Amino acid sequence: VKLTEEYLSDFYTPLVGESKIKIAMNYVEEYQVKANDTLFIVAEIQSVFLPQGTLKKNGEVNLNEVNDICISGLYNYHKVEQLAAFDYVRPGSFPENKLK
């Protein structure tokens, strides 16, 4: 898979051209995690770029409509497919799947 740089708006850092959803972020600070000798990076979102017509009325992004890929960890890529939708979980309740 070859990835290409794409520059959008006034954001100076390149985004991934092949990605359909792009999130431009700025570094804020970092924390050393002693438990596993890693860094926890804190960033702020500057801009979000979405394909036309993929934002639902309730503010959610319809990822099935986007038909994109996602990353887990540092190097694993996956297809995105919604499996279920549950109500907000509250103590003492077990939510029902709203997609059934």
Side-chain angles (χ1 to χ4, degrees):
V1 174
K2 182 178 188 305
L3 302 177
T4 55
E5 298 176 352
E6 181 178 13
Y7 294 87
L8 297 172
S9 297
D10 294 331
F11 201 71
Y12 60 89
T13 304
L15 301 163
V16 178
E18 289 75 15
S19 179
K20 295 175 185 168
I21 297 175
K22 298 169 178 62
I23 303 173
M25 303 175 79
N26 277 336
Y27 171 88
V28 174
E29 59 190 350
E30 62 188 55
Y31 297 94
Q32 176 71 36
V33 180
K34 294 177 184 175
N36 59 2
D37 194 31
T38 60
L39 289 177
F40 180 80
I41 305 293
V42 178
E44 60 184 2
I45 296 174
Q46 296 298 304
S47 297
V48 177
F49 303 93
L50 301 171
Q52 187 86 16
T54 58
L55 189 61
K56 297 180 184 180
K57 290 180 182 178
N58 66 359
E60 295 177 352
V61 177
N62 184 343
L63 294 176
N64 286 335
E65 183 72 27
V66 174
N67 193 28
D68 211 350
I69 61 172
C70 66
I71 188 170
S72 66
L74 296 174
Y75 46 79
N76 293 301
Y77 291 83
H78 308 271
K79 292 181 179 180
V80 179
E81 177 185 353
Q82 184 177 12
L83 302 177
F86 295 96
D87 287 326
Y88 183 78
V89 179
R90 290 172 176 73
S93 68
F94 190 81
E96 295 289 325
N97 183 351
K98 296 190 298 187
L99 293 183
K100 286 185 179 181

